[in-house]
Amino acid sequence: MRRSIVSRVCMTVLLLAIGVLTVAQLRAQRRLRVGTYNRDEQAVLLSELVDANRRLRAEIDLLAAQGNAYAEENHGAILEELVAELNRVRVLNGTIEVSGPGVTLLLDGPLSALDLLDVVNELRNAGAEALALNGHRLVASSAFAVEGRGLVVVDGYPVHRPYHLEAVGDPDTIETALLRPGGLLTLFRREYPNLVAQSTQHARLVLGVHRPHRAFEYAEPIE
Amino acid sequence: MTKLTWGPRQWAMLGAALVLGMLVSFQWSAGAVRRPVSPDRVDQTMRQLELEQTELKRQVARLRVALDVLQQEAVTDTELLEELRTQLAVEKVRAGLVDVRGPGVRVTLDDSQQRLTGSANDYLIHDFDLRDVIHVLWLAGAEAIAINGERIVHDSSIYCVGSTVMVNDTRLSPPYEVSAIGDAVRMQDHLRNPGYLGDLKVRCERHGLLLEIMRVEAMTITAYQGSTLQRFAQPGS
């Protein structure tokens, strides 16, 4: 009697262990792909990381300098600091006009909403600091919808071709990214044979305020 | 004393023990293979840089919180200063520079567990999949979005190096958890709508990618920890 209970317990423990280890093994296989890169990918990753860390250090310097302005408790300095930071953050949010050098891109072709989304993403990857499409300022949450007969709508505003994009940032970097062989424009030209695509560098662009402005209803800051 | 008889039960135990032994040895070796075998200097440099990156991001987060406190406690005995301070607080929330809490959805995406037949790409979650999911969430009125803790802000870029997804210049590994605060029902409806994420949904069915959508009553999304310095854009005209 005792012997059969002992063997049942052993069997259960064994099967349990097998189950646990099988799952662990499958999980382990899923993550293996992260560690393997070829030489080119490694080079890209390294340069991205070096760049990112440099920008983080610059950010830390800025934040430290800002802290100092408040520490002095000087009204004038505090006022200056608050105004400067408010304007900086408003540029990020699109709640203030913005100006600077950059690139304009004219696209005349039957581009879809997703194509335009790809263009915007490409421009962001190329370092665009502020964007506009057909005069409408684009922000992080700007989304492209399609209504009716292929009409593209951005933030509730209809946009018609030709599509006119404005990107404030380093003109050379942005234009190079757009025009690179195998890049987005190459793909578009292949997809839309009669596409008109024209990029121009500018010393100064001015982009307007983002609309509509909707206050947050669900997200609340944690005190 | 009883004699040991070799019956079906004993064979079953032996089989189970053998399987167990195999699995234990696989686990053992898998631990070693997970890290690159060669002491490659490039890999070491990469790890070093990523450690630095993590530490720098933590510093940025700490300094932002400290600055917030300084701004709250600053002597603002004029209406103008008080008004500026209030406006700044609101804009910071909007810009993703502050931790926020609220109702929303959690979307989990993961690579396929299935065996490969055909292109390996079909079995992986790509940067464009994440971009598409995020885009649908913005369309549905999301107010704050993060992927594996990386807050999506005005110039967040999501791209691939090889098959690795980078968000805010940070390497992410699957599974990918996309958190979004907003109207949970609206976001869920958009995500489930067959008109959106068609390509991804087809690959989920055909190749076993994971796409799971869950409503969450209260979630926290942490602040953006990257850089906001703009070198070319200036406020005003």
PDB file of all heavy atoms in Angstrom, chain A residues 55-56 58-60 62-63 66 85 88-89 91-92 129, chain B residues 60 64 95-97 153-155 224-231 233:
ATOM      1  N   ARG A  55      23.367  62.842 -25.938  1.00  0.00           N
ATOM      2  CA  ARG A  55      22.195  63.692 -25.772  1.00  0.00           C
ATOM      3  C   ARG A  55      21.696  63.668 -24.329  1.00  0.00           C
ATOM      4  O   ARG A  55      21.259  64.698 -23.790  1.00  0.00           O
ATOM      5  CB  ARG A  55      21.070  63.238 -26.713  1.00  0.00           C
ATOM      6  CG  ARG A  55      21.290  63.682 -28.148  1.00  0.00           C
ATOM      7  CD  ARG A  55      20.002  63.592 -28.939  1.00  0.00           C
ATOM      8  NE  ARG A  55      19.441  62.248 -28.941  1.00  0.00           N
ATOM      9  CZ  ARG A  55      19.738  61.327 -29.839  1.00  0.00           C
ATOM     10  NH1 ARG A  55      20.573  61.600 -30.803  1.00  0.00           N
ATOM     11  NH2 ARG A  55      19.182  60.130 -29.776  1.00  0.00           N
ATOM     12  N   LEU A  56      21.769  62.525 -23.689  1.00  0.00           N
ATOM     13  CA  LEU A  56      21.330  62.433 -22.298  1.00  0.00           C
ATOM     14  C   LEU A  56      22.225  63.295 -21.402  1.00  0.00           C
ATOM     15  O   LEU A  56      21.733  63.968 -20.491  1.00  0.00           O
ATOM     16  CB  LEU A  56      21.343  60.972 -21.828  1.00  0.00           C
ATOM     17  CG  LEU A  56      20.210  60.111 -22.367  1.00  0.00           C
ATOM     18  CD1 LEU A  56      20.443  58.639 -22.040  1.00  0.00           C
ATOM     19  CD2 LEU A  56      18.867  60.550 -21.802  1.00  0.00           C
ATOM     20  N   ALA A  58      23.825  65.994 -22.278  1.00  0.00           N
ATOM     21  CA  ALA A  58      23.467  67.394 -22.535  1.00  0.00           C
ATOM     22  C   ALA A  58      22.183  67.740 -21.779  1.00  0.00           C
ATOM     23  O   ALA A  58      22.049  68.842 -21.229  1.00  0.00           O
ATOM     24  CB  ALA A  58      23.288  67.623 -24.032  1.00  0.00           C
ATOM     25  N   GLU A  59      21.252  66.819 -21.753  1.00  0.00           N
ATOM     26  CA  GLU A  59      20.000  67.034 -21.026  1.00  0.00           C
ATOM     27  C   GLU A  59      20.265  67.201 -19.536  1.00  0.00           C
ATOM     28  O   GLU A  59      19.691  68.084 -18.889  1.00  0.00           O
ATOM     29  CB  GLU A  59      19.064  65.836 -21.253  1.00  0.00           C
ATOM     30  CG  GLU A  59      17.667  66.025 -20.717  1.00  0.00           C
ATOM     31  CD  GLU A  59      16.775  66.806 -21.653  1.00  0.00           C
ATOM     32  OE1 GLU A  59      17.209  67.069 -22.792  1.00  0.00           O
ATOM     33  OE2 GLU A  59      15.654  67.163 -21.253  1.00  0.00           O
ATOM     34  N   ILE A  60      21.159  66.379 -18.998  1.00  0.00           N
ATOM     35  CA  ILE A  60      21.501  66.464 -17.577  1.00  0.00           C
ATOM     36  C   ILE A  60      22.113  67.828 -17.263  1.00  0.00           C
ATOM     37  O   ILE A  60      21.783  68.459 -16.250  1.00  0.00           O
ATOM     38  CB  ILE A  60      22.456  65.320 -17.180  1.00  0.00           C
ATOM     39  CG1 ILE A  60      21.674  64.001 -17.144  1.00  0.00           C
ATOM     40  CG2 ILE A  60      23.120  65.580 -15.843  1.00  0.00           C
ATOM     41  CD1 ILE A  60      22.542  62.767 -17.066  1.00  0.00           C
ATOM     42  N   LEU A  62      21.564  70.628 -18.855  1.00  0.00           N
ATOM     43  CA  LEU A  62      20.492  71.617 -18.900  1.00  0.00           C
ATOM     44  C   LEU A  62      19.673  71.584 -17.624  1.00  0.00           C
ATOM     45  O   LEU A  62      19.375  72.624 -17.028  1.00  0.00           O
ATOM     46  CB  LEU A  62      19.581  71.353 -20.107  1.00  0.00           C
ATOM     47  CG  LEU A  62      18.299  72.189 -20.155  1.00  0.00           C
ATOM     48  CD1 LEU A  62      18.616  73.663 -20.344  1.00  0.00           C
ATOM     49  CD2 LEU A  62      17.369  71.713 -21.276  1.00  0.00           C
ATOM     50  N   LEU A  63      19.296  70.392 -17.189  1.00  0.00           N
ATOM     51  CA  LEU A  63      18.473  70.258 -15.983  1.00  0.00           C
ATOM     52  C   LEU A  63      19.211  70.797 -14.760  1.00  0.00           C
ATOM     53  O   LEU A  63      18.605  71.453 -13.902  1.00  0.00           O
ATOM     54  CB  LEU A  63      18.080  68.792 -15.770  1.00  0.00           C
ATOM     55  CG  LEU A  63      17.036  68.262 -16.747  1.00  0.00           C
ATOM     56  CD1 LEU A  63      16.969  66.743 -16.707  1.00  0.00           C
ATOM     57  CD2 LEU A  63      15.661  68.837 -16.429  1.00  0.00           C
ATOM     58  N   GLN A  66      19.137  74.561 -14.865  1.00  0.00           N
ATOM     59  CA  GLN A  66      17.806  75.048 -14.488  1.00  0.00           C
ATOM     60  C   GLN A  66      17.634  75.029 -12.981  1.00  0.00           C
ATOM     61  O   GLN A  66      17.096  75.969 -12.393  1.00  0.00           O
ATOM     62  CB  GLN A  66      16.725  74.171 -15.119  1.00  0.00           C
ATOM     63  CG  GLN A  66      16.505  74.424 -16.585  1.00  0.00           C
ATOM     64  CD  GLN A  66      15.405  73.517 -17.116  1.00  0.00           C
ATOM     65  OE1 GLN A  66      15.653  72.369 -17.461  1.00  0.00           O
ATOM     66  NE2 GLN A  66      14.210  74.041 -17.156  1.00  0.00           N
ATOM     67  N   GLU A  85      11.442  77.635 -19.945  1.00  0.00           N
ATOM     68  CA  GLU A  85      11.050  76.232 -19.950  1.00  0.00           C
ATOM     69  C   GLU A  85       9.625  76.064 -20.489  1.00  0.00           C
ATOM     70  O   GLU A  85       9.347  75.129 -21.220  1.00  0.00           O
ATOM     71  CB  GLU A  85      11.155  75.593 -18.577  1.00  0.00           C
ATOM     72  CG  GLU A  85      11.088  74.081 -18.759  1.00  0.00           C
ATOM     73  CD  GLU A  85      11.100  73.279 -17.494  1.00  0.00           C
ATOM     74  OE1 GLU A  85      11.365  73.859 -16.435  1.00  0.00           O
ATOM     75  OE2 GLU A  85      10.828  72.071 -17.601  1.00  0.00           O
ATOM     76  N   ARG A  88       9.847  76.086 -24.132  1.00  0.00           N
ATOM     77  CA  ARG A  88      10.490  74.867 -24.633  1.00  0.00           C
ATOM     78  C   ARG A  88       9.493  73.720 -24.683  1.00  0.00           C
ATOM     79  O   ARG A  88       9.391  72.992 -25.670  1.00  0.00           O
ATOM     80  CB  ARG A  88      11.658  74.459 -23.718  1.00  0.00           C
ATOM     81  CG  ARG A  88      13.009  74.607 -24.343  1.00  0.00           C
ATOM     82  CD  ARG A  88      14.081  73.864 -23.566  1.00  0.00           C
ATOM     83  NE  ARG A  88      14.055  74.062 -22.138  1.00  0.00           N
ATOM     84  CZ  ARG A  88      14.707  75.022 -21.484  1.00  0.00           C
ATOM     85  NH1 ARG A  88      15.449  75.878 -22.146  1.00  0.00           N
ATOM     86  NH2 ARG A  88      14.611  75.121 -20.164  1.00  0.00           N
ATOM     87  N   VAL A  89       8.741  73.550 -23.588  1.00  0.00           N
ATOM     88  CA  VAL A  89       7.790  72.440 -23.527  1.00  0.00           C
ATOM     89  C   VAL A  89       6.621  72.684 -24.480  1.00  0.00           C
ATOM     90  O   VAL A  89       6.086  71.740 -25.082  1.00  0.00           O
ATOM     91  CB  VAL A  89       7.284  72.221 -22.080  1.00  0.00           C
ATOM     92  CG1 VAL A  89       6.352  71.022 -22.018  1.00  0.00           C
ATOM     93  CG2 VAL A  89       8.461  71.985 -21.149  1.00  0.00           C
ATOM     94  N   VAL A  91       6.808  74.060 -27.347  1.00  0.00           N
ATOM     95  CA  VAL A  91       7.260  73.649 -28.685  1.00  0.00           C
ATOM     96  C   VAL A  91       7.065  72.147 -28.844  1.00  0.00           C
ATOM     97  O   VAL A  91       6.571  71.677 -29.867  1.00  0.00           O
ATOM     98  CB  VAL A  91       8.753  74.014 -28.917  1.00  0.00           C
ATOM     99  CG1 VAL A  91       9.278  73.315 -30.163  1.00  0.00           C
ATOM    100  CG2 VAL A  91       8.917  75.512 -29.057  1.00  0.00           C
ATOM    101  N   LEU A  92       7.417  71.386 -27.816  1.00  0.00           N
ATOM    102  CA  LEU A  92       7.240  69.929 -27.869  1.00  0.00           C
ATOM    103  C   LEU A  92       5.769  69.567 -28.074  1.00  0.00           C
ATOM    104  O   LEU A  92       5.445  68.634 -28.809  1.00  0.00           O
ATOM    105  CB  LEU A  92       7.734  69.270 -26.575  1.00  0.00           C
ATOM    106  CG  LEU A  92       9.166  69.548 -26.128  1.00  0.00           C
ATOM    107  CD1 LEU A  92       9.468  68.824 -24.823  1.00  0.00           C
ATOM    108  CD2 LEU A  92      10.167  69.127 -27.193  1.00  0.00           C
ATOM    109  N   GLU A 129      12.467  68.091 -35.558  1.00  0.00           N
ATOM    110  CA  GLU A 129      12.083  68.533 -34.217  1.00  0.00           C
ATOM    111  C   GLU A 129      10.669  69.102 -34.186  1.00  0.00           C
ATOM    112  O   GLU A 129      10.053  69.192 -33.131  1.00  0.00           O
ATOM    113  CB  GLU A 129      13.097  69.564 -33.702  1.00  0.00           C
ATOM    114  CG  GLU A 129      14.498  68.957 -33.549  1.00  0.00           C
ATOM    115  CD  GLU A 129      15.545  69.948 -33.094  1.00  0.00           C
ATOM    116  OE1 GLU A 129      15.239  71.155 -33.062  1.00  0.00           O
ATOM    117  OE2 GLU A 129      16.667  69.515 -32.787  1.00  0.00           O
TER     118      GLU A 129
ATOM    119  N   VAL B  60      18.466  61.587 -15.366  1.00  0.00           N
ATOM    120  CA  VAL B  60      17.528  62.527 -15.981  1.00  0.00           C
ATOM    121  C   VAL B  60      16.205  62.502 -15.218  1.00  0.00           C
ATOM    122  O   VAL B  60      15.646  63.554 -14.885  1.00  0.00           O
ATOM    123  CB  VAL B  60      17.302  62.187 -17.472  1.00  0.00           C
ATOM    124  CG1 VAL B  60      16.093  62.917 -18.021  1.00  0.00           C
ATOM    125  CG2 VAL B  60      18.534  62.534 -18.287  1.00  0.00           C
ATOM    126  N   ARG B  64      14.628  65.633 -13.152  1.00  0.00           N
ATOM    127  CA  ARG B  64      13.336  66.203 -13.546  1.00  0.00           C
ATOM    128  C   ARG B  64      12.405  66.294 -12.342  1.00  0.00           C
ATOM    129  O   ARG B  64      11.697  67.288 -12.170  1.00  0.00           O
ATOM    130  CB  ARG B  64      12.690  65.357 -14.651  1.00  0.00           C
ATOM    131  CG  ARG B  64      13.339  65.598 -16.001  1.00  0.00           C
ATOM    132  CD  ARG B  64      12.428  65.312 -17.166  1.00  0.00           C
ATOM    133  NE  ARG B  64      13.138  65.600 -18.404  1.00  0.00           N
ATOM    134  CZ  ARG B  64      13.339  64.740 -19.387  1.00  0.00           C
ATOM    135  NH1 ARG B  64      12.874  63.517 -19.287  1.00  0.00           N
ATOM    136  NH2 ARG B  64      13.998  65.085 -20.470  1.00  0.00           N
ATOM    137  N   ALA B  95       3.290  66.780 -22.333  1.00  0.00           N
ATOM    138  CA  ALA B  95       4.508  66.416 -23.062  1.00  0.00           C
ATOM    139  C   ALA B  95       5.051  65.052 -22.646  1.00  0.00           C
ATOM    140  O   ALA B  95       6.040  64.583 -23.209  1.00  0.00           O
ATOM    141  CB  ALA B  95       5.579  67.484 -22.849  1.00  0.00           C
ATOM    142  N   GLY B  96       4.437  64.405 -21.671  1.00  0.00           N
ATOM    143  CA  GLY B  96       4.920  63.090 -21.251  1.00  0.00           C
ATOM    144  C   GLY B  96       6.093  63.146 -20.298  1.00  0.00           C
ATOM    145  O   GLY B  96       6.804  62.160 -20.121  1.00  0.00           O
ATOM    146  N   LEU B  97       6.313  64.291 -19.660  1.00  0.00           N
ATOM    147  CA  LEU B  97       7.460  64.449 -18.781  1.00  0.00           C
ATOM    148  C   LEU B  97       7.136  64.116 -17.330  1.00  0.00           C
ATOM    149  O   LEU B  97       7.957  64.313 -16.438  1.00  0.00           O
ATOM    150  CB  LEU B  97       7.995  65.890 -18.878  1.00  0.00           C
ATOM    151  CG  LEU B  97       8.504  66.270 -20.265  1.00  0.00           C
ATOM    152  CD1 LEU B  97       8.845  67.749 -20.327  1.00  0.00           C
ATOM    153  CD2 LEU B  97       9.726  65.443 -20.633  1.00  0.00           C
ATOM    154  N   VAL B 153       6.731  59.963 -26.972  1.00  0.00           N
ATOM    155  CA  VAL B 153       6.590  61.417 -26.945  1.00  0.00           C
ATOM    156  C   VAL B 153       6.766  62.015 -28.341  1.00  0.00           C
ATOM    157  O   VAL B 153       6.873  61.282 -29.318  1.00  0.00           O
ATOM    158  CB  VAL B 153       7.586  62.059 -25.957  1.00  0.00           C
ATOM    159  CG1 VAL B 153       7.271  61.632 -24.533  1.00  0.00           C
ATOM    160  CG2 VAL B 153       9.019  61.694 -26.320  1.00  0.00           C
ATOM    161  N   HIS B 154       6.852  63.345 -28.403  1.00  0.00           N
ATOM    162  CA  HIS B 154       6.806  64.077 -29.667  1.00  0.00           C
ATOM    163  C   HIS B 154       7.793  63.580 -30.705  1.00  0.00           C
ATOM    164  O   HIS B 154       7.500  63.593 -31.887  1.00  0.00           O
ATOM    165  CB  HIS B 154       7.052  65.561 -29.413  1.00  0.00           C
ATOM    166  CG  HIS B 154       8.444  65.801 -28.897  1.00  0.00           C
ATOM    167  ND1 HIS B 154       8.823  65.471 -27.620  1.00  0.00           N
ATOM    168  CD2 HIS B 154       9.542  66.281 -29.497  1.00  0.00           C
ATOM    169  CE1 HIS B 154      10.108  65.757 -27.459  1.00  0.00           C
ATOM    170  NE2 HIS B 154      10.568  66.246 -28.578  1.00  0.00           N
ATOM    171  N   ASP B 155       8.971  63.188 -30.310  1.00  0.00           N
ATOM    172  CA  ASP B 155       9.920  62.745 -31.338  1.00  0.00           C
ATOM    173  C   ASP B 155      10.437  61.334 -31.070  1.00  0.00           C
ATOM    174  O   ASP B 155      11.519  60.978 -31.494  1.00  0.00           O
ATOM    175  CB  ASP B 155      11.072  63.729 -31.507  1.00  0.00           C
ATOM    176  CG  ASP B 155      11.972  63.749 -30.285  1.00  0.00           C
ATOM    177  OD1 ASP B 155      11.590  63.135 -29.272  1.00  0.00           O
ATOM    178  OD2 ASP B 155      13.033  64.381 -30.351  1.00  0.00           O
ATOM    179  N   TYR B 224       8.740  60.123 -19.549  1.00  0.00           N
ATOM    180  CA  TYR B 224       9.781  59.982 -20.561  1.00  0.00           C
ATOM    181  C   TYR B 224      11.127  60.264 -19.921  1.00  0.00           C
ATOM    182  O   TYR B 224      11.282  61.226 -19.170  1.00  0.00           O
ATOM    183  CB  TYR B 224       9.490  60.965 -21.691  1.00  0.00           C
ATOM    184  CG  TYR B 224      10.547  61.095 -22.751  1.00  0.00           C
ATOM    185  CD1 TYR B 224      10.906  60.010 -23.532  1.00  0.00           C
ATOM    186  CD2 TYR B 224      11.153  62.316 -23.000  1.00  0.00           C
ATOM    187  CE1 TYR B 224      11.859  60.140 -24.531  1.00  0.00           C
ATOM    188  CE2 TYR B 224      12.098  62.465 -23.992  1.00  0.00           C
ATOM    189  CZ  TYR B 224      12.455  61.366 -24.755  1.00  0.00           C
ATOM    190  OH  TYR B 224      13.392  61.491 -25.736  1.00  0.00           O
ATOM    191  N   GLN B 225      12.109  59.387 -20.217  1.00  0.00           N
ATOM    192  CA  GLN B 225      13.407  59.578 -19.590  1.00  0.00           C
ATOM    193  C   GLN B 225      14.485  59.986 -20.582  1.00  0.00           C
ATOM    194  O   GLN B 225      15.667  59.918 -20.287  1.00  0.00           O
ATOM    195  CB  GLN B 225      13.840  58.280 -18.892  1.00  0.00           C
ATOM    196  CG  GLN B 225      12.997  57.970 -17.679  1.00  0.00           C
ATOM    197  CD  GLN B 225      13.445  56.695 -17.001  1.00  0.00           C
ATOM    198  OE1 GLN B 225      14.158  55.887 -17.583  1.00  0.00           O
ATOM    199  NE2 GLN B 225      13.037  56.523 -15.766  1.00  0.00           N
ATOM    200  N   GLY B 226      14.091  60.393 -21.756  1.00  0.00           N
ATOM    201  CA  GLY B 226      15.078  60.728 -22.774  1.00  0.00           C
ATOM    202  C   GLY B 226      15.348  62.214 -22.837  1.00  0.00           C
ATOM    203  O   GLY B 226      14.939  62.984 -21.964  1.00  0.00           O
ATOM    204  N   SER B 227      16.038  62.619 -23.894  1.00  0.00           N
ATOM    205  CA  SER B 227      16.392  64.029 -24.019  1.00  0.00           C
ATOM    206  C   SER B 227      15.301  64.795 -24.754  1.00  0.00           C
ATOM    207  O   SER B 227      14.607  64.241 -25.598  1.00  0.00           O
ATOM    208  CB  SER B 227      17.725  64.163 -24.759  1.00  0.00           C
ATOM    209  OG  SER B 227      17.517  63.995 -26.134  1.00  0.00           O
ATOM    210  N   THR B 228      15.139  66.076 -24.383  1.00  0.00           N
ATOM    211  CA  THR B 228      14.146  66.919 -25.038  1.00  0.00           C
ATOM    212  C   THR B 228      14.797  68.128 -25.688  1.00  0.00           C
ATOM    213  O   THR B 228      14.132  68.943 -26.294  1.00  0.00           O
ATOM    214  CB  THR B 228      13.114  67.444 -24.019  1.00  0.00           C
ATOM    215  OG1 THR B 228      13.809  68.182 -23.015  1.00  0.00           O
ATOM    216  CG2 THR B 228      12.351  66.311 -23.373  1.00  0.00           C
ATOM    217  N   LEU B 229      16.108  68.246 -25.525  1.00  0.00           N
ATOM    218  CA  LEU B 229      16.824  69.393 -26.080  1.00  0.00           C
ATOM    219  C   LEU B 229      16.633  69.478 -27.578  1.00  0.00           C
ATOM    220  O   LEU B 229      16.856  68.505 -28.295  1.00  0.00           O
ATOM    221  CB  LEU B 229      18.325  69.247 -25.813  1.00  0.00           C
ATOM    222  CG  LEU B 229      18.873  69.946 -24.570  1.00  0.00           C
ATOM    223  CD1 LEU B 229      20.369  69.739 -24.485  1.00  0.00           C
ATOM    224  CD2 LEU B 229      18.558  71.429 -24.615  1.00  0.00           C
ATOM    225  N   GLN B 230      16.219  70.652 -28.046  1.00  0.00           N
ATOM    226  CA  GLN B 230      16.051  70.847 -29.474  1.00  0.00           C
ATOM    227  C   GLN B 230      17.159  71.782 -29.952  1.00  0.00           C
ATOM    228  O   GLN B 230      17.401  72.830 -29.366  1.00  0.00           O
ATOM    229  CB  GLN B 230      14.680  71.462 -29.763  1.00  0.00           C
ATOM    230  CG  GLN B 230      13.561  70.643 -29.122  1.00  0.00           C
ATOM    231  CD  GLN B 230      12.334  70.587 -29.971  1.00  0.00           C
ATOM    232  OE1 GLN B 230      11.723  71.607 -30.228  1.00  0.00           O
ATOM    233  NE2 GLN B 230      11.963  69.392 -30.423  1.00  0.00           N
ATOM    234  N   ARG B 231      17.830  71.367 -31.027  1.00  0.00           N
ATOM    235  CA  ARG B 231      18.965  72.167 -31.490  1.00  0.00           C
ATOM    236  C   ARG B 231      18.571  73.164 -32.563  1.00  0.00           C
ATOM    237  O   ARG B 231      19.313  74.098 -32.847  1.00  0.00           O
ATOM    238  CB  ARG B 231      20.067  71.235 -32.017  1.00  0.00           C
ATOM    239  CG  ARG B 231      20.707  70.393 -30.893  1.00  0.00           C
ATOM    240  CD  ARG B 231      21.858  69.577 -31.410  1.00  0.00           C
ATOM    241  NE  ARG B 231      21.442  68.602 -32.389  1.00  0.00           N
ATOM    242  CZ  ARG B 231      22.154  68.278 -33.482  1.00  0.00           C
ATOM    243  NH1 ARG B 231      23.312  68.856 -33.714  1.00  0.00           N
ATOM    244  NH2 ARG B 231      21.697  67.375 -34.318  1.00  0.00           N
ATOM    245  N   ALA B 233      14.826  73.895 -33.491  1.00  0.00           N
ATOM    246  CA  ALA B 233      13.512  74.502 -33.328  1.00  0.00           C
ATOM    247  C   ALA B 233      13.532  75.547 -32.220  1.00  0.00           C
ATOM    248  O   ALA B 233      13.966  75.274 -31.107  1.00  0.00           O
ATOM    249  CB  ALA B 233      12.485  73.419 -33.010  1.00  0.00           C
TER     250      ALA B 233
END
